[in-house]
């Protein structure tokens, strides 16, 4: 699995973070970039979300590096980790422990490779954590998870339950279709250069949101602030 990733990616920096964090990423001159569903099936892999540094994840990673007190000494969950970018950023910023979770085993393999590339150590799991109670995470990071309607609803319901239990939850999102319209507090936005081969634009305005605990979620004041 790792051999396949190494053969189809190239180590490089990201548009927003530069070379502060390097990842094994697909490149336009490599087969993985051009592969369609049939080619991916032949390779035995699902769509390789782990091979790209998505704008929401880059925004979260940059915010963590700019605000290391958010993670210093804390236990962090990098949910739907993809490449592991957010988890790696958390460790570089001083997190005590990071669990990187993704149901795609190729994402877990890529995350392990990327962690080694950046000389950090994290824990990985391919278990589906949605619906689980918090075993001790201080902070949950979720980047670019609102691109599919039913899945986004399920994930956000769970994340709001975690927030209601006292867990800080940060969401990185570049304006995906199924981003909720309430229950979020805007923290910061970043302009992230991307490519029209992946997105519908060459630049994405990626926002870092904090989930509002459920007891505040429907309060008039908080609702009015949601997209301020």
């Amino acid at each position: 699995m790792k051999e396949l990733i190494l053969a189809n990616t190239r180590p490089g920096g990201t548009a927003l973070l530069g070379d502060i964090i390097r990842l094994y990423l697909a490149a336009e001159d490599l087969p993985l970039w051009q592969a369609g569903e049939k080619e991916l099936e032949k390779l035995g892999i699902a769509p390789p979300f782990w091979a790209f540094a998505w704008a929401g994840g880059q925004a979260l990673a940059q915010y963590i590096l700019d605000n290391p007190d958010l993670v210093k000494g804390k236990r962090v969950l990098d949910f739907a980790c993809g490449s592991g970018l957010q988890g790696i950023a958390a460790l570089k910023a001083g997190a005590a422990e990071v669990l990187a979770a993704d149901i795609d085993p190729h994402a877990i393999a890529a995350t392990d490779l990327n962690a080694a590339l950046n000389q950090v150590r994290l824990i990985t799991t391919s278990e589906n954590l949605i619906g689980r109670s918090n075993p001790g995470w201080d902070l949950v990071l979720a980047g670019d998870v609102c691109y599919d309607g039913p899945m986004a609803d399920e994930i956000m319901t769970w994340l709001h339950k975690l927030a209601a239990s006292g867990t800080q939850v940060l969401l990185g999102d570049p304006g995906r279709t199924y981003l909720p319209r309430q229950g979020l507090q805007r923290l910061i936005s970043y302009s992230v250069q991307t490519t029209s081969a992946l997105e519908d634009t060459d630049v994405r305005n990626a926002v870092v949101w904090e989930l509002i605990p459920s007891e505040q979620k429907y309060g008039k004041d908080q609702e009015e602030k949601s997209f301020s």
Side-chain angles (χ1 to χ4, degrees), residues 11 33 39 67 77 92 99 138 145 162 169 174 203 208 211-212 223 225:
W33 184 282
E39 289 81 2
N67 299 275
L77 171 65
K92 282 184 169 288
L99 174 64
D138 301 299
V145 296
L162 292 179
V169 181
V203 177
V208 176
L211 270 68
I212 300 168
E223 192 170 347
K225 287 182 182 177

Coordinates of all heavy atoms in Angstrom, one line a residue, residues 11 33 39 67 77 92 99 138 145 162 169 174 203 208 211-212 223 225:
P11 N 6.9 14.2 -2.8 CA 6.9 15.1 -1.6 C 7.0 16.5 -2.0 O 7.8 16.9 -2.9 CB 8.1 14.6 -0.8 CG 8.9 13.9 -1.8 CD 8.0 13.3 -2.8
W33 N -3.0 11.4 -10.8 CA -3.7 12.7 -11.1 C -4.7 12.5 -12.2 O -5.8 13.0 -12.1 CB -2.7 13.8 -11.4 CG -3.3 15.1 -11.6 CD1 -4.0 15.6 -12.7 CD2 -3.3 16.2 -10.7 NE1 -4.4 16.9 -12.6 CE2 -4.0 17.3 -11.3 CE3 -2.8 16.4 -9.4 CZ2 -4.1 18.5 -10.7 CZ3 -2.9 17.6 -8.8 CH2 -3.6 18.7 -9.4
E39 N -9.6 3.3 -13.7 CA -8.2 3.1 -13.4 C -8.0 2.9 -11.9 O -7.1 2.1 -11.5 CB -7.4 4.3 -13.9 CG -7.3 4.4 -15.5 CD -8.6 5.0 -16.1 OE1 -9.5 5.4 -15.4 OE2 -8.6 5.1 -17.3
N67 N -1.6 29.6 16.2 CA -2.1 29.6 17.5 C -1.8 28.3 18.3 O -2.7 27.6 18.6 CB -3.7 29.8 17.5 CG -4.1 31.1 16.8 OD1 -4.1 32.2 17.4 ND2 -4.3 31.0 15.5
L77 N -7.9 14.9 18.1 CA -8.3 14.0 17.0 C -8.3 14.7 15.7 O -9.0 15.7 15.6 CB -9.8 13.5 17.4 CG -10.5 12.7 16.2 CD1 -9.8 11.4 15.9 CD2 -11.9 12.5 16.5
K92 N 3.4 19.5 15.5 CA 4.4 20.5 15.3 C 4.2 21.7 16.3 O 5.1 22.4 16.7 CB 4.5 21.0 13.9 CG 5.3 20.0 13.0 CD 5.4 20.6 11.6 CE 6.4 19.8 10.7 NZ 7.8 19.9 11.1
L99 N -4.5 11.5 17.4 CA -5.1 10.3 16.8 C -5.6 10.8 15.4 O -6.5 11.7 15.3 CB -6.2 9.7 17.6 CG -7.0 8.6 17.0 CD1 -6.1 7.4 16.7 CD2 -8.2 8.2 17.8
D138 N -9.2 16.6 23.7 CA -9.4 18.0 24.1 C -9.9 18.8 22.9 O -10.6 19.8 23.1 CB -8.1 18.5 24.6 CG -7.6 17.8 25.8 OD1 -8.3 17.8 26.9 OD2 -6.5 17.2 25.8
V145 N -15.2 18.3 5.3 CA -16.1 17.1 5.5 C -17.5 17.3 5.1 O -18.3 16.5 5.2 CB -16.1 16.7 7.0 CG1 -14.7 16.2 7.4 CG2 -16.5 17.8 7.9
L162 N -20.3 16.2 20.4 CA -19.0 16.3 21.1 C -18.8 17.8 21.6 O -18.3 17.9 22.8 CB -17.9 16.0 20.1 CG -17.7 14.6 19.6 CD1 -16.6 14.4 18.6 CD2 -17.5 13.6 20.8
V169 N -14.3 21.8 19.0 CA -14.3 21.3 17.7 C -14.1 22.4 16.7 O -14.8 23.4 16.7 CB -15.7 20.6 17.4 CG1 -15.6 20.0 16.0 CG2 -16.0 19.5 18.4
P174 N -13.9 25.4 2.8 CA -13.8 26.4 1.8 C -15.1 26.7 1.0 O -15.1 27.0 -0.2 CB -12.8 25.8 0.8 CG -13.1 24.3 0.8 CD -13.6 24.1 2.2
V203 N -8.7 29.8 -6.7 CA -8.5 30.3 -5.3 C -9.7 30.0 -4.5 O -10.8 30.2 -5.0 CB -8.2 31.8 -5.3 CG1 -8.0 32.3 -3.9 CG2 -6.9 32.2 -6.1
V208 N -12.0 28.9 8.9 CA -11.9 28.1 10.1 C -13.1 28.4 11.0 O -13.3 29.6 11.4 CB -10.6 28.2 10.9 CG1 -10.6 27.4 12.2 CG2 -9.4 27.8 10.0
L211 N -17.3 25.1 16.4 CA -18.7 24.6 16.6 C -19.2 25.2 17.9 O -18.5 25.2 18.9 CB -18.8 23.1 16.6 CG -19.1 22.5 15.3 CD1 -18.0 22.6 14.3 CD2 -19.5 21.0 15.4
I212 N -20.4 25.7 17.9 CA -21.0 26.3 19.1 C -21.7 25.2 19.9 O -22.5 24.4 19.3 CB -22.0 27.4 18.8 CG1 -21.3 28.5 18.0 CG2 -22.7 27.9 20.0 CD1 -22.3 29.5 17.4
E223 N -27.0 32.6 17.1 CA -27.5 32.4 15.8 C -27.2 33.6 14.9 O -26.8 33.4 13.7 CB -29.0 32.0 15.8 CG -29.4 31.4 14.4 CD -30.8 30.9 14.6 OE1 -31.3 30.7 15.7 OE2 -31.4 30.6 13.5
K225 N -24.8 35.6 15.2 CA -23.4 35.7 15.0 C -22.8 34.7 14.1 O -21.7 34.8 13.6 CB -22.7 35.6 16.3 CG -22.8 36.7 17.3 CD -22.0 36.4 18.5 CE -22.1 37.5 19.6 NZ -21.4 37.2 20.8

